[in-house]
Amino acid sequence: MYQYDEFDREFVEQRAKQFARQVERRLAGELPEDKFKPLRLMNGLYLQLHAYMLRINVPYGCLSSEQMRKLAHVSRLYDKSYGHLTTRQNMQLNWIRLVDMPEILNELASVNMHGIQSSGNCIRNITADEYAGVAADEIEDPRIYCEFLRQWSSLHPEFSFLPRKFKISVTGSPNDRAAVMAHDIGLRLYKNEEGESGFEVFVGGGLGRTPFVGKSIRTFLPTEHILSYCEAILRVYNQLGRRDNKYKARIKVLVHETGIDKIRELVEAEWESIRDGALNLPEEDIALIRARFTPPRYEAPLDSEDELKALREKNPDFDRWVDQQLAEHKQPGYSIVNISCTPIGKPPGDISSDQMEAVADLADLYSMGELRVTHNQNLVFTDVRRQDLFKLWQALVEIDLETANHGLITDTICCPGLDYCALANARSIPVAEKISNAFADHERQKEIGEIYINMSGCINACGHHHVGNIGILGVDKKNSELYQLMLGGSAKEDASIGKILGRGFDEDGIVTAVENVVDTYLEIRTDGETFIETHRRVGDDPFKERLYGASPKTR
Amino acid sequence: MPHVVIANRLRDGIVVFLGTSHQWVEKLSECSPAQSEAEEEALIRLGQEASDRQEIVDPTLIEVEEKEGVLHAVKMREAMRAMGPTVREDLGKQAEN
Ligand code: SF4
C-alpha cells in the first residue's frame, strides 16, 4: 500500500474541516441550496431519491484493512449498515444525514479517505487494474503512475472547472482489466523493443449518451513524460471542449468532431512546450514514489500443492471456488483471490458492514492487510499464500462471500438504477437479480463460460452497458420500465461498443431475452469460442431471429 | 388529478410530503392531497417558502392517486421515494409501516 505523507493528511483534514463549516452554515440557514450544492458535490455528497449519498474515493482501487474497517464503522454508525461498490472502484453510502457529514469526514480523514473530486467537472478518481503490482501477466506496476496522477490531479487549479468530468484509467498488463479504452484517457503501460517502459495513450473513450472506444493518440510515451502529456491533453480539452452543450462537452465528442489526427497535432504542440518542465519525472522521483509502496514481504513458498489438491478433492465447493476465483500471482506460492460481492440473486456490489469488517480482518490474516475494489464491483485479496486458501475459503463461507462466479454470467455489473438514483429512468438491480437467479446453476454457468452482462438504469451508463458482451439499458416508456438489449460490447483490450438489437422488453421479458440469446450462442458456437467471439463471427442475425421471430431478410 | 408536494428534508435528506394540512409529514399516507388549482398553488408556495427558509430541498408538485383507499405517487420515480428501494424492503418508508 502507498503510505501517505503529512502533506496528504493535512490536505484531507483541512478539507474535512472546511466542509464541516459549510455544512454548519447550510444547517443554520445561511447557505441556500444553489450555493451549497457545488460545495457538497466537490466533497462527493449527492442528494438522491431517498437521502444524501456519499461517494468515497478508493484511489486506484487500493484499500487497506484499516480503511475497510473504517468503512464498516462509518456505514454502520451513520448509514444503514451496508455500502455499494461502484464501477469507479469507489464506495457509496446511500442513507447519509447531512448533520452527520462533519463527523463522517473526520472519521474518514483519520484513515486518509475522502470524497474530494468524486463528483463535478474535474479529474475523478484514477482507476487501475485490480491486480496491479501482483499479476503474473503484468509488465510493470501501474500504481506508481496512478499515484503520480492522483497527486497531480488533486485540486489541480487549471483543471478544477473542466467542460465536463474527466476519467483516467491505467493498466500495466496486456490483458486489460481496467477498461482503459472506455476512459477519457486510457494508459497501457508496456515495454518497447528496446526494453524501455512507456505508455500507449488512448484518448476520447467513454460511454454515456455517445459511446466511443478510445483512440490511440501516442503509441509510446516514455514513463517520465506521463504527467506532462496528460497535462497537454487536458489543456487542449480545457480550451476546445464544448461548454455550450452538456451532452457534447466530454473529450470524446471533441476527439470525434475534430478528428484524432488534429487532436494529436494540438496535443503534441502543447506538449513540446512543457515536456521538459516541472512535470517531467526523473528516475529519482519515480524511485521515491515506488519506495512509498511498502513492498509485501513474501515468504519462500511452502510446498502445499499436494495438500491443496487433496482438500479440493474432498470439498467440491472449495474446488469450484479455487477453480473460479483465483488469478495467477507473480510470486510463486501466492495467489490473487477474487471475492465476489455479486452473490446469486443479490444486488451487485452491495456489501454489509459486518462483511466489510470481517473482510478487513481476513485481509490482515491472509492478504498482508491489503485489498482492492474492482470496477466489476467485487473485491480482491492481492497476496494470499496458497497454503491459506482453504482457511480463507472457510472464513468466506461464514460471511456469505464465497460465491464462485468470477467472469461468469452471474457476475454482472449493475448501477444502482431507479431503486436509489435520482437520474434513473428504470430499475436495474431487480433485473440483475432475476438474471442471476435464472443462471444460478453453477454447471450451466461453467458451460456458458466467459461472458459479461452489464446494465444501467439510464443513458449515463454507470453500469457500463455499452461494453458488456450483453448490455442492458433501462428506459422509461410512458411511466413503465422498458429494457433495451445490446450485444457485442467489450471492455477489454479488444474493446467495442454494443449495438441495440431491436425493440425493448419488460422486466421479465428481458430476462427471457437474455436466456434466449445465451441458448442461441450455445447452439451455434464452435469449440472453445466465447460469447463475444461467436457474436463477432456471426453478427446479430441469429440472435435477432431467435428473439424477434422473423428472418432478418424479411423484417 | 390530486397533488402533493414532495421534497427532501435538509438536515437528513429524508423524503417528506406536504398536503392540505400544511404540515410536512414523512409518509404519503398521512397526507391529504390538493384537489383544486388553488390548493395546489398554496402547496407550491408553502414548499418554496420552506425551501427559502432552508428547511427542505427541491420541493416539487407531484401527482398522486388513491387505489383501494391507499394513496400512491403516480410516477415510478416518486413512488420509489414514497416507499424505498424495491430491492431492499427492509429499508425506507416501506419498512416503517
Ligand atoms: S447509469 Fe443512470 S441510473 Fe445508473 S447510476 Fe448512473 S445515473 Fe444513475
Side-chain angles (χ1 to χ4, degrees), chain A residues 415-418 421 423-426 428 456-463:
Chain A
C415 81
L418 192 58
C421 176
L423 299 174
N425 289 324
S428 44
S456 307
C458 83
I459 193 73
N460 288 325
C462 304

Side-chain angles (χ1 to χ4, degrees), chain A residues 44-57:
Chain A
L45 189 68
Y46 288 70
L47 187 53
Q48 294 285 33
L49 291 182
H50 312 294
Y52 293 95
M53 179 273 277
L54 177 62
R55 183 177 293 154
I56 303 164
N57 285 321

Side-chain angles (χ1 to χ4, degrees), chain A residues 26 29-33 47 49-52 80 82 95-99 418-420 422 425 427 429-430 433 479 481, chain B residues 8-15 51 53-54 56-58 74-77 80-81 83-88 91-92 96:
Chain A
R26 175 76 174 120
E30 294 165 11
L31 262 186
E33 180 64 7
L47 187 53
L49 291 182
H50 312 294
Y52 293 95
K80 297 199 186 274
Y82 71 109
W95 302 88
I96 294 294
R97 296 162 7 129
L98 185 61
V99 283
L418 192 58
D419 279 294
Y420 295 97
N425 289 324
R427 290 171 302 158
I429 302 172
E433 291 179 340
N479 201 32
E481 293 156 307
Chain B
N8 292 86
R9 198 158 55 202
L10 174 73
R11 41 185 297 110
D12 54 10
I14 292 301
V15 175
S51 170
R53 285 196 307 274
Q54 301 185 36
I56 54 104
V57 187
D58 283 346
V74 171
K75 289 263 189 270
M76 261 184 322
R77 184 176 186 279
M80 203 66 67
R81 297 176 76 189
M83 295 295 287
T86 59
V87 290
R88 287 292 303 263
L91 299 177
E96 292 152 17

Side-chain angles (χ1 to χ4, degrees), chain A residues 150-198:
Chain A
R150 185 191 71 80
Q151 295 185 12
W152 161 79
S153 62
S154 296
L155 303 190
H156 193 306
E158 206 179 318
F159 306 140
S160 294
F161 296 96
L162 294 167
R164 203 69 180 87
K165 59 186 162 184
F166 203 92
K167 300 176 180 179
I168 302 176
S169 184
V170 194
T171 177
S173 157
N175 300 307
D176 183 1
R177 290 173 284 262
V180 298
M181 280 196 267
H183 283 75
D184 297 286
I185 293 180
L187 298 165
R188 185 174 69 84
L189 187 53
Y190 74 107
K191 280 193 170 38
N192 65 10
E193 280 172 7
E194 285 73 46
E196 299 153 339
S197 296

Side-chain angles (χ1 to χ4, degrees), chain A residues 74-91:
Chain A
V74 166
S75 57
R76 188 181 286 130
L77 198 61
Y78 302 103
D79 203 273
K80 297 199 186 274
S81 294
Y82 71 109
H84 177 74
L85 304 170
T86 77
T87 48
R88 286 216 70 67
Q89 298 177 304
N90 291 328
M91 182 175 279

Side-chain angles (χ1 to χ4, degrees), chain A residues 235-253:
Chain A
R235 279 190 178 175
V236 169
Y237 168 55
N238 210 12
Q239 277 173 30
L240 302 181
R242 289 181 61 171
R243 291 176 187 265
D244 60 317
N245 182 343
K246 182 177 162 189
Y247 301 119
K248 297 194 169 172
R250 294 288 290 269
I251 195 174
K252 61 190 174 184
V253 177

